[in-house]
Amino acid sequence: MKKANLAMAFHCHQPVFNFDGNMDEAYEKAYLPLLATLERFPGIKASFHFSGNVIEWLRREHPEYIDLIRKMLTRGQIELMGGGCFEPIMAIIPERDRAGQMEMNSSIMKEVFDVSPRGAWVAERVWEPAIAQALHSSGMEYTILDDHHVRKAGVSEKNMNAPYLYEHEDHPVTVFPAVTKLRYTMPFRPPEATLSYMKKIMREKEEDNTCFFFADDGEKFGAWPRTYKWVHKKGWLSDFLSKLEANSEWLRTMTYSEVLDNVPPASAGDLPSSSYSEMDQWSGGDFRNFFKKYPEADRMRKRMTFVSDMIDESDDNISHPGRQRVNRARRELFKAQAGCAYWHGTFGGVYLPHLRAGVYRHLIRARDILEGGKAPGEGRLLAVETGAEDASGETVMRNDFLDLYMQPSHGGGVSELDYRPLSVNLVNIMSRSREEYHDKIRWGHLPRVINARRAILRGEHADIYDVLGIKEKGLKKRLVYDDYRRYSFLTHVFHDGRAQKGTASRRSSHNGFLKGKYEKKVENGEGILAGIFSRKDTISGKGKLPVEMEVIKSVAVGTTPEITFSQKVFNRSGRTCSFASAIEFNFLVWDKRLLSKGIKRKANRFHLEDMYSGACLEFLFDRCLEILAYPVYTVNGSEEGIRKTFQGISVMVGEENRQVRAEGSSNIMVKISIT
């Protein structure tokens, strides 16, 4: 009887900045029962990948699990794969960091388990040809991609059940094509469905040694919604492993390294940039398209690359005593490269504020460590950097407490505000964007959910958003979209209405002043840095003559955690006219007063307080002004289905429509103190 090989890989990862509860749930529902059940079947072999931060968490929280892994390694039942320590998307981080991430992960594995990995898990299987060089240079002999990749290299379906040797610029690596069909049958269909599929393929093969490769998230086996009961309580996993044992006369389970040693690879042609089929669908065929769709993700990527360049430059020039400081900064950088925050597919990804906050937290820490980490309170005005982040020409004003980034090409707004004592970016709000799956909320979705879930049970492909369904009611009314980036210190000028009217759901302010390009200059006075931004434009209201106007706005920072914002809107029309103006601030602050509904009042002060970090923002105005504060929610996919996600608080400060004479102005001044 012809024999076949089954290699299974379980990928176990949680973001380093995920909530402790998520880590606990993944362990209790997936990692522990998965390995403990496998231990009862010593003849069944598998490969496991644990990211470096998960290994460190397990060693700290569950040393008994580390002992179980060691036991199963010793008896040769499992192998451990390597990869990026904090699960970066290899294609989007600098080449030097690819090697550094894998070396750090391998070092942790050597220290904890005394093993050196032969293969590497490539996060989200996002592949680019140059990754082969990083793998080979780091001592990795193989990786696992999707059969979707290998088809793009010209391999036919009938030749899919074998490893392939791929080489890029004299850097060879063996690629195992994981079978998409198995990702849909395991664990969603009864075990017989997986065995029947493999038997069917075997009947079509003339040769011996056919290989079946499975690789997917370990969380899928208990931690994903509706899987724990099926996989463990109802015994799918035990039943599946029992049936593998019962069919061992023709189906052998092997680790991926054993396949590497026993099955000669075929030769592959060019392996183009790609990922698994679903990722290609979400990204439009190129992972970097996420950075075009989500400017918030693109900003994090640019900031991450900038900090990486700083560390690399320091590494080249620093003396030996400073090496430890650079290594500490590099570890913080590597944490900020955790890939889950930079994209959006089935799960929340970039839409999740705690993931974005985690990226910024570690980037801020990395830079502070690199620069010597002076304690706040020494009262220094550090620097003005112009064009420091990218070609867009941001102006960065810094003191011991704050890093304030001004973006003249997008409304002269504050694109980032880092409060260094808490390592938090306070301007970290996601704009409300349209997603294709929003149409499912408008349509009758229940029949689609039922049909999709039935398709999965048949082992067929289905739209994952149909499978997960809609998490909560009332989302249709939240399908409101922003046509601008939710920075802070944005200018609204209204020629035909009240300043705050409709701003929570729609706006009627002038485009040019809100999101156009401003001229900029920087003034450096004694103990004060000021960025000054100006723009002239023409606005017109319904049934009204066009009005020439000019906005001059400034941001001033001294040696304390206080910022002074000043906005003057000048009437340059040569005649008296009426208009209203306002300043919009957006902050990622979890203020419990404003999580469910907004407030509107007239006052000369206001405050926001974050219920988690304790950060407090005190607003002081030059006079009583109209205040509208409201929560910003996006509607986005998640592992629990389509739901709303809190993104932050928007605060509008302005005045009502009033007559302004020629060359007169409407002025607003706001001081914000951060503690």
Coordinates of all heavy atoms in Angstrom, one line a residue, residues 505-547:
S505 N -21.4 63.5 13.3 CA -21.8 62.6 12.2 C -21.5 63.1 10.8 O -21.3 62.3 9.9 CB -23.3 62.3 12.3 OG -24.0 63.5 12.2
R506 N -21.4 64.4 10.6 CA -21.1 64.9 9.3 C -20.5 66.3 9.5 O -20.6 66.8 10.6 CB -22.3 64.9 8.4 CG -23.4 65.8 9.0 CD -24.7 65.7 8.2 NE -25.7 66.6 8.6 CZ -26.5 66.4 9.7 NH1 -26.3 65.3 10.4 NH2 -27.4 67.3 10.1
R507 N -20.0 66.9 8.5 CA -19.4 68.2 8.7 C -19.8 69.1 7.5 O -20.1 68.6 6.4 CB -17.9 68.2 8.9 CG -17.2 67.7 7.7 CD -15.6 67.8 7.9 NE -15.0 67.5 6.6 CZ -14.7 68.4 5.6 NH1 -15.1 69.6 5.8 NH2 -14.1 68.0 4.5
S508 N -19.7 70.4 7.7 CA -20.0 71.4 6.6 C -18.9 72.4 6.6 O -19.1 73.5 6.0 CB -21.3 72.0 6.8 OG -21.4 72.7 8.1
S509 N -17.8 72.2 7.2 CA -16.7 73.2 7.3 C -15.9 73.1 6.0 O -16.0 72.2 5.2 CB -15.8 72.9 8.5 OG -15.3 71.6 8.5
H510 N -15.0 74.1 5.8 CA -14.3 74.3 4.6 C -13.2 73.3 4.5 O -12.4 73.1 5.4 CB -13.7 75.8 4.6 CG -13.0 76.1 3.3 ND1 -11.7 76.1 3.2 CD2 -13.5 76.5 2.1 CE1 -11.3 76.4 2.0 NE2 -12.4 76.7 1.3
N511 N -13.1 72.7 3.3 CA -12.1 71.6 3.1 C -10.7 72.1 3.2 O -9.8 71.5 3.8 CB -12.3 71.0 1.7 CG -13.3 69.9 1.7 OD1 -13.5 69.3 2.7 ND2 -13.9 69.6 0.6
G512 N -10.4 73.3 2.6 CA -9.0 73.8 2.5 C -8.4 74.0 3.9 O -7.3 73.6 4.2
F513 N -9.1 74.7 4.7 CA -8.6 75.0 6.1 C -8.5 73.8 7.0 O -7.7 73.7 7.8 CB -9.5 76.1 6.7 CG -9.3 77.4 6.1 CD1 -10.5 78.1 5.7 CD2 -8.1 78.0 5.9 CE1 -10.3 79.4 5.1 CE2 -7.9 79.3 5.3 CZ -9.1 79.9 4.9
L514 N -9.4 72.8 6.7 CA -9.4 71.6 7.5 C -8.3 70.6 7.2 O -7.6 70.1 8.0 CB -10.8 70.9 7.4 CG -10.9 69.5 8.2 CD1 -10.8 69.7 9.7 CD2 -12.2 68.8 7.8
K515 N -8.1 70.4 5.9 CA -7.1 69.4 5.5 C -6.2 69.8 4.3 O -5.5 68.9 3.8 CB -7.9 68.1 5.1 CG -8.9 68.3 4.0 CD -9.7 67.0 3.8 CE -10.8 67.2 2.7 NZ -11.5 65.9 2.5
G516 N -6.1 71.1 4.1 CA -5.2 71.5 3.0 C -3.8 71.8 3.5 O -3.5 71.5 4.7
K517 N -3.0 72.2 2.7 CA -1.5 72.5 3.0 C -1.4 73.9 3.6 O -1.9 74.8 3.0 CB -0.7 72.3 1.8 CG 0.8 72.4 2.1 CD 1.7 72.1 0.8 CE 3.2 72.2 1.1 NZ 4.0 71.9 0.0
Y518 N -0.6 74.0 4.6 CA -0.3 75.2 5.3 C 1.2 75.6 5.1 O 2.0 74.7 5.0 CB -0.6 75.2 6.8 CG -2.0 75.3 7.2 CD1 -3.0 74.3 6.8 CD2 -2.5 76.4 7.9 CE1 -4.3 74.5 7.2 CE2 -3.8 76.6 8.2 CZ -4.7 75.6 7.9 OH -6.0 75.8 8.2
E519 N 1.5 76.9 5.0 CA 2.8 77.3 5.1 C 3.3 77.2 6.5 O 2.5 77.4 7.4 CB 3.0 78.8 4.6 CG 2.5 79.0 3.1 CD 3.4 78.2 2.2 OE1 4.7 78.2 2.4 OE2 2.9 77.6 1.2
K520 N 4.6 77.0 6.7 CA 5.1 76.8 8.1 C 6.3 77.6 8.3 O 7.1 77.9 7.4 CB 5.3 75.4 8.4 CG 6.5 74.8 7.7 CD 6.8 73.4 8.2 CE 8.1 72.9 7.5 NZ 8.5 71.5 8.0
K521 N 6.5 78.0 9.6 CA 7.8 78.5 10.1 C 8.0 78.2 11.5 O 7.0 77.9 12.2 CB 7.9 80.0 9.8 CG 7.0 80.8 10.6 CD 7.2 82.3 10.3 CE 6.3 83.2 11.1 NZ 6.6 84.7 10.9
V522 N 9.2 78.1 12.0 CA 9.4 77.8 13.4 C 10.2 79.0 14.1 O 11.1 79.5 13.5 CB 10.3 76.5 13.5 CG1 10.6 76.2 15.0 CG2 9.5 75.3 12.9
E523 N 9.7 79.4 15.2 CA 10.4 80.4 16.0 C 10.9 79.9 17.3 O 10.2 79.1 18.0 CB 9.4 81.6 16.3 CG 8.9 82.3 15.0 CD 8.0 83.5 15.3 OE1 7.6 83.6 16.5 OE2 7.7 84.2 14.4
N524 N 12.1 80.2 17.6 CA 12.8 79.6 18.8 C 13.1 80.8 19.7 O 14.1 81.5 19.5 CB 14.0 78.9 18.4 CG 14.6 78.1 19.5 OD1 14.2 78.2 20.7 ND2 15.5 77.1 19.2
G525 N 12.2 81.0 20.7 CA 12.5 82.1 21.6 C 13.2 81.6 22.9 O 13.6 80.5 22.9
E526 N 13.2 82.4 23.9 CA 13.9 82.1 25.1 C 13.0 81.1 25.9 O 12.0 81.5 26.5 CB 14.2 83.3 25.9 CG 15.1 83.0 27.2 CD 15.5 84.2 27.9 OE1 15.4 85.3 27.3 OE2 15.9 84.1 29.1
G527 N 13.4 79.8 25.9 CA 12.6 78.8 26.6 C 11.3 78.5 25.9 O 10.4 77.8 26.5
I528 N 11.1 78.9 24.7 CA 9.8 78.6 24.0 C 10.1 78.2 22.5 O 10.9 78.8 21.9 CB 8.9 79.8 24.0 CG1 8.4 80.2 25.4 CG2 7.7 79.6 23.1 CD1 7.4 79.2 26.0
L529 N 9.4 77.1 22.1 CA 9.4 76.8 20.7 C 8.0 77.0 20.1 O 7.1 76.6 20.8 CB 9.8 75.3 20.5 CG 11.2 74.9 20.8 CD1 11.4 73.4 20.7 CD2 12.2 75.6 19.9
A530 N 7.9 77.6 19.0 CA 6.6 77.8 18.4 C 6.6 77.5 16.9 O 7.5 77.8 16.2 CB 6.2 79.3 18.5
G531 N 5.6 76.7 16.5 CA 5.4 76.4 15.1 C 4.2 77.2 14.7 O 3.2 77.2 15.3
I532 N 4.4 77.9 13.6 CA 3.4 78.8 13.1 C 3.0 78.4 11.7 O 3.9 78.2 10.8 CB 3.9 80.3 13.0 CG1 4.3 80.7 14.4 CG2 2.8 81.2 12.5 CD1 5.0 82.1 14.5
F533 N 1.7 78.3 11.4 CA 1.2 77.7 10.2 C 0.1 78.6 9.6 O -0.8 79.1 10.4 CB 0.6 76.3 10.4 CG 1.6 75.4 11.0 CD1 1.8 75.3 12.4 CD2 2.4 74.6 10.2 CE1 2.7 74.5 13.0 CE2 3.3 73.7 10.8 CZ 3.5 73.7 12.2
S534 N 0.1 78.9 8.3 CA -0.8 79.8 7.8 C -1.3 79.3 6.4 O -0.6 78.6 5.7 CB -0.1 81.2 7.6 OG 1.0 81.1 6.7
R535 N -2.5 79.8 6.1 CA -3.1 79.4 4.8 C -4.2 80.4 4.4 O -5.0 80.9 5.3 CB -3.8 78.0 4.9 CG -4.5 77.6 3.6 CD -5.2 76.3 3.7 NE -6.0 76.0 2.5 CZ -5.5 75.4 1.4 NH1 -4.2 75.0 1.4 NH2 -6.3 75.2 0.4
K536 N -4.2 80.8 3.2 CA -5.2 81.7 2.6 C -6.1 80.9 1.7 O -5.7 80.0 1.0 CB -4.6 82.9 1.8 CG -3.8 83.9 2.7 CD -3.2 85.0 1.9 CE -2.5 86.0 2.8 NZ -1.9 87.1 2.0
D537 N -7.4 81.2 1.7 CA -8.3 80.5 0.9 C -9.6 81.3 0.7 O -9.8 82.3 1.4 CB -8.6 79.1 1.5 CG -8.8 78.0 0.4 OD1 -9.4 78.3 -0.6 OD2 -8.4 76.9 0.7
T538 N -10.5 80.8 -0.2 CA -11.8 81.4 -0.4 C -12.9 80.5 0.0 O -12.9 79.3 -0.4 CB -11.9 81.8 -1.9 OG1 -10.8 82.7 -2.2 CG2 -13.3 82.5 -2.1
I539 N -13.8 80.9 0.8 CA -14.9 80.1 1.2 C -16.2 80.7 0.8 O -16.3 82.0 0.6 CB -15.0 79.8 2.7 CG1 -15.3 81.0 3.5 CG2 -13.6 79.2 3.2 CD1 -15.6 80.7 5.0
S540 N -17.2 79.9 0.6 CA -18.5 80.5 0.2 C -19.6 79.6 0.9 O -19.5 78.4 1.0 CB -18.7 80.4 -1.3 OG -18.6 79.1 -1.8
G541 N -20.7 80.3 1.2 CA -21.8 79.6 1.8 C -23.0 79.6 0.9 O -22.9 80.2 -0.2
K542 N -24.0 78.9 1.2 CA -25.2 78.8 0.3 C -25.8 80.1 0.1 O -26.2 80.8 1.1 CB -26.2 77.8 0.9 CG -27.3 77.5 0.0 CD -28.2 76.4 0.7 CE -29.4 76.1 -0.2 NZ -30.3 75.1 0.4
G543 N -25.8 80.6 -1.1 CA -26.5 81.8 -1.4 C -25.7 83.0 -1.0 O -26.2 84.2 -0.9
K544 N -24.4 82.8 -0.7 CA -23.5 83.9 -0.2 C -22.3 84.2 -1.1 O -21.9 83.3 -1.8 CB -23.0 83.6 1.3 CG -24.1 83.5 2.3 CD -23.6 83.4 3.7 CE -24.7 83.3 4.7 NZ -24.2 83.2 6.1
L545 N -21.8 85.4 -1.1 CA -20.7 85.7 -1.9 C -19.4 85.1 -1.3 O -19.3 84.9 -0.1 CB -20.5 87.3 -1.9 CG -21.6 88.1 -2.6 CD1 -21.3 89.6 -2.4 CD2 -21.6 87.7 -4.1
P546 N -18.5 84.7 -2.2 CA -17.2 84.1 -1.7 C -16.5 85.1 -0.8 O -16.6 86.3 -1.0 CB -16.4 83.9 -3.0 CG -17.5 83.8 -4.1 CD -18.6 84.8 -3.7
V547 N -15.8 84.6 0.2 CA -15.1 85.4 1.1 C -13.6 85.0 1.2 O -13.3 83.8 1.4 CB -15.7 85.3 2.5 CG1 -14.9 86.1 3.5 CG2 -17.2 85.7 2.5

